[in-house]
Amino acid sequence: MIIQTERTLFKKDENADAVKAADGLIAKAAVSGASDIHIEPGENNACVRMRIDGVLYKEAEMNKTLMQAVVSRVKVLAGMDIAEKRLPQDGSIKLELDRRNIDLRISSLPTILGEKIVIRILDREKFALNLDELNFTPENLALYRRLYNYGSGIVLLTGPTGSGKTTTLYATLAELNSSERNIVTIEDPVEYRINGISQVAVNEKAGLTFASGLRSILRQDPDIIMLGEIRSLDTAATAIRAALTGHLVFSTLHTNNAAGAAVRLVDMGIEPFLVASALRGVVAQRLVRRICPHCKTAYAANAEEKAYLNINGGDGLTLYKGSGCEKCRGTGYLGRMALQEVMPVVPELKKFILGKAQEETLFAEAEKFGAVSMRSDGVQKVLKGHTSLEEVLQAVH
Ligand SMILES: [Zn+2]
């Protein structure tokens, strides 16, 4: 495959080997479902790695001359300055591969051994725009849907980068999308376009930030607002104000668990009574690898595994693992799925927020009203044979 964009169509510049190598890497990454490609200069050679299902794999090694040509090729395609090698740069490439629209975000970083390039692959077709396909248990999905059926207030999603928060948000907006509702988003970047929804991209250089964008959105009478991320007190305060004045607001925060989001808002400087009245609930999320269906095998759980899963007694317990095959590159895993923790802010929980309770206390109270911890959600998915105990342990701790 030779990638052609308006930037390269009329140029007969780079050498053929570099073009073939660069384009081949991009095509291979897209086909194997990789989320990013890392091209890293080493002391003597350069290393290319790809991240598949959240794990980095070494893909190839190349000499530094070829690597530099590959980097130049990528920078040309991305509209970056190939002469500038001492400062970090960003660029993007849009392409069509097997009739799929793929967006690539490229960033360069000058390391002491040369330029390191990371290519993020945003495959629009990969987003499942249906909440039913996001691995919520039926109980958690019902709990989650109740959070936003109030029609106003703020619903938060938490988890580290790459935990599938954006996918859940898009699926939620797709469900709420109708001609009677004015839905506006402000995102960094806009990863997926949904018809009927007004999406705004953050542009820090031009002064369009989450906070300033949100203030402009509020002047346009929205019903539902999706704010990509709450990073500052200013953004948090504006979002809470919007939630308290009849808008339904969705956003994300970086905390380890659902209860942590309520605590974080207070720590950021929002008055506890505002958090208690605006916050409808929180979903914490993590991605784990799914056992490969092609090499899935049953085995008898050992004592340690049974203890973790709280299954006591002498009866045998069957668990599953992937034994490794060609389809999963010998890893035993293919694709990923989400673990969730849904915490509705029921009236009984509000007084704990007002009293600045710690995360553990808050969540223990929430459990009385149906909240299920992420660990328990993971255990359920292990017992059903969807994922392994190792994956859950790694995601939860
Ligand atoms: Zn397999």
Side-chain angles (χ1 to χ4, degrees):
M1 180 196 76
I2 298 297
I3 295 172
Q4 302 216 311
T5 71
E6 68 268 28
R7 289 179 189 127
T8 54
L9 221 45
F10 303 108
K11 278 186 194 160
K12 275 201 277 169
D13 42 11
E14 309 102 319
N15 73 62
D17 285 348
V19 170
K20 230 160 99 186
D23 295 12
L25 281 175
I26 293 172
K28 177 145 195 211
V31 168
S32 52
S35 57
D36 38 57
I37 308 171
H38 298 237
I39 305 173
E40 295 153 316
E43 203 73 60
N44 304 309
N45 280 327
C47 175
V48 178
R49 296 190 292 169
M50 290 187 187
R51 191 182 297 280
I52 300 170
D53 293 339
V55 180
L56 272 175
Y57 296 94
K58 186 168 172 180
E59 175 61 38
E61 208 166 291
M62 56 177 79
N63 65 54
K64 285 180 100 169
T65 317
L66 178 60
M67 181 239 175
Q68 271 153 15
V70 166
V71 166
S72 295
R73 164 75 179 165
V74 172
K75 285 169 80 177
V76 167
L77 287 170
M80 294 154 77
D81 177 1
I82 53 166
E84 179 57 79
K85 293 177 178 162
R86 292 166 308 174
L87 292 173
Q89 290 185 65
D90 296 310
S92 65
I93 305 172
K94 275 186 201 309
L95 59 101
E96 207 188 289
L97 193 69
D98 299 334
R99 298 208 199 107
R100 279 153 64 202
N101 287 314
I102 295 173
D103 276 1
L104 306 175
R105 302 289 154 109
I106 292 83
S107 62
S108 72
L109 190 67
T111 75
I112 51 168
L113 296 174
E115 264 184 304
K116 169 176 169 149
I117 301 278
V118 174
I119 305 173
R120 255 190 91 198
I121 300 165
L122 305 176
D123 185 348
R124 299 212 188 115
E125 257 99 316
K126 251 175 40 183
F127 281 104
L129 280 191
N130 190 339
L131 279 176
D132 294 306
E133 289 167 27
L134 297 184
N135 326 114
F136 278 96
T137 60
E139 296 78 21
N140 265 348
L141 187 55
L143 214 51
Y144 176 53
R145 285 197 167 118
R146 239 178 286 151
L147 302 183
Y148 56 79
N149 282 340
Y150 289 97
S152 72
I154 185 163
V155 175
L156 291 175
L157 275 96
T158 80
T161 307
S163 55
K165 302 185 296 271
T166 313
T167 306
T168 305
L169 281 177
Y170 280 139
T172 309
L173 292 183
E175 181 165 296
L176 291 166
N177 192 7
S178 78
S179 54
E180 300 93 66
R181 294 191 178 109
N182 177 10
I183 306 180
V184 190
T185 73
I186 176 149
E187 308 168 60
D188 184 19
V190 172
E191 290 188 37
Y192 185 89
R193 279 182 225 129
I194 307 177
N195 272 337
I197 291 182
S198 311
Q199 294 171 278
V200 179
V202 162
N203 186 341
E204 303 256 354
K205 276 185 207 144
L208 180 56
T209 61
F210 278 122
S212 70
L214 181 57
R215 279 190 284 271
S216 307
I217 289 170
L218 286 169
R219 288 193 281 272
Q220 294 207 335
D221 185 34
D223 300 299
I224 299 170
I225 302 160
M226 190 266 264
L227 182 69
E229 192 184 333
I230 292 178
R231 287 184 201 151
S232 65
L233 173 60
D234 189 15
T235 316
T238 315
I240 295 276
R241 209 175 311 130
L244 289 172
T245 49
H247 307 95
L248 178 58
V249 181
F250 290 93
S251 192
T252 70
L253 261 183
H254 282 260
T255 61
N256 286 331
N257 52 43
V263 175
R264 173 68 57 81
L265 287 173
V266 174
D267 285 349
M268 283 174 98
I270 306 285
E271 290 293 339
F273 77 94
L274 290 177
V275 175
S277 34
L279 189 61
R280 293 282 175 254
V282 188
V283 179
Q285 210 175 295
R286 289 285 188 291
L287 293 181
V288 290
R289 288 184 292 169
R290 207 185 259 282
I291 294 173
C292 171
H294 307 287
C295 59
K296 186 171 168 177
T297 38
Y299 71 97
N302 63 30
E304 206 184 324
E305 287 168 326
K306 278 162 80 176
Y308 187 85
L309 296 166
N310 273 332
I311 312 265
N312 303 310
D315 289 350
L317 173 70
T318 303
L319 292 181
Y320 297 87
K321 64 180 171 194
S323 49
C325 68
E326 212 169 271
K327 292 217 165 75
C328 60
R329 305 159 64 103
T331 61
Y333 296 102
L334 195 62
R336 288 192 288 177
M337 68 182 301
L339 305 183
Q340 291 102 351
E341 177 175 283
V342 184
M343 185 187 86
V345 178
V346 294
E348 290 80 359
L349 212 61
K350 292 181 194 289
K351 61 175 184 284
F352 287 87
I353 295 176
L354 288 172
K356 296 192 182 185
Q358 293 299 303
E359 292 172 18
E360 297 75 25
T361 320
L362 261 183
F363 198 75
E365 186 62 20
E367 281 181 309
K368 296 180 192 161
F369 299 91
V372 171
S373 71
M374 191 163 334
R375 179 187 181 279
S376 307
D377 188 57
V379 165
Q380 285 190 44
K381 287 165 181 166
V382 169
L383 292 175
K384 284 192 181 133
H386 297 322
T387 186
S388 70
L389 191 54
E390 291 77 36
E391 281 293 294
V392 171
L393 289 173
Q394 206 171 35
V396 175
H397 296 287

